[in-house]
Amino acid sequence: MVDFYNLSLNDREWITHRLLEDDRQACEYSFANNFLWSDIYGAKMAKEQGCLIFRFQDEKKCCYTIPIGAGNRRGALDAVLEMERAKGNDLVLSTLVRSDLEWLEQNYPGMYDVQTNRNDYDYVYSTEKLSTLAGRKLHGKRNHIARFKDGGNWRYREMMPEDAGECMRFLDMWKANESENWNEEMENELHVNRKALRNLADLVLDGGMLYKGEKLVAFSIGEPLNSNTYVVHIEKALAEVQGAYPMINQQFVLHHCQEYEYVNREEDTGDEGLRKAKLSYHPELLVEKFQARFHR
């Protein structure tokens, strides 16, 4: 049996090393992402033959990541496959990227079916383009930022752990503003946001806060994802403040992402408004993700 157990902050360093060995660009492959969503998706981890494997619940079915890291990947996956078959279950691998499909085809040809879901694809942008917003296609973003800057009474500053209380109050205001539309997904998002604020230092996350006058109007949280990509996990702004969203987007990139070629702004989860907003920044690429179900 492969031993799966709850994620702990004590596992962060070991997990991060395994993730760096694979250098993946999909947003799920960070310790913080899995730790923050572990309560929602029941995420657990295993150390198997030098590899990391995550297990989580997705729409009431048990899913696994492909073994991650430089260990015995084939041996680790064989162990999980044998464990699930002994229970009479199909093995389901999720959050696979194209290179994983190539590896599976080489090692397990004809043993599984593959499907994909556009809602899960990550949006990846050029750091330079998000920084400058140059060109005709992003003219509207520049205009919104100009309106936000009118009067010059604004400031951006780095978030510190002691700022958690102010940001928590901002989230309370966000919930109140969205009370008529509130749903389970938003409640989950609120839980994750609060957990990130409580664990900002332990998770080694970057945060930024945007003010108009003395009022906090937006904040963002992220971290390096791999050797060339930074990932933005959280972005919240007051929709009624013109330019707050494009301004926090640009300022966070300018202050935290300059050492990386790309910025991953995660998926749209099928939300039409969010998809339109993410596409309006004209991503460099979409990170496709797949699911493989092994035959019994």
Side-chain angles (χ1 to χ4, degrees), residues 25-36:
Q25 202 174 30
C27 69
E28 288 85 0
Y29 293 95
S30 85
F31 173 77
N33 189 302
N34 285 277
F35 179 81
L36 292 174

Side-chain angles (χ1 to χ4, degrees), residues 42 46 77 129 142:
L77 187 52
K129 289 181 181 178
R142 297 196 302 274

Side-chain angles (χ1 to χ4, degrees), residues 5-13 15 31 35 45:
Y5 58 94
N6 292 331
L7 276 70
S8 161
L9 289 169
N10 294 329
D11 296 306
R12 180 185 175 277
E13 184 175 357
I15 288 175
F31 173 77
F35 179 81
M45 62 167 288

Side-chain angles (χ1 to χ4, degrees), residues 90-148:
D90 294 338
L91 171 64
V92 180
L93 301 179
S94 194
T95 64
L96 302 171
V97 296
R98 284 236 171 245
S99 60
D100 294 327
L101 297 185
E102 295 168 4
W103 185 84
L104 285 173
E105 185 59 28
Q106 292 173 0
N107 289 275
Y108 301 89
M111 293 178 61
Y112 56 88
D113 297 316
V114 175
Q115 63 182 28
T116 188
N117 187 339
R118 169 65 176 81
N119 298 344
D120 297 330
Y121 292 7
D122 289 354
Y123 292 76
V124 175
Y125 305 85
S126 158
T127 301
E128 180 182 2
K129 289 181 181 178
L130 289 184
S131 300
T132 64
L133 299 175
R136 180 178 56 82
K137 291 181 179 180
L138 295 173
H139 176 73
K141 307 296 183 188
R142 297 196 302 274
N143 279 346
H144 284 300
I145 287 175
R147 297 292 72 76
F148 182 89

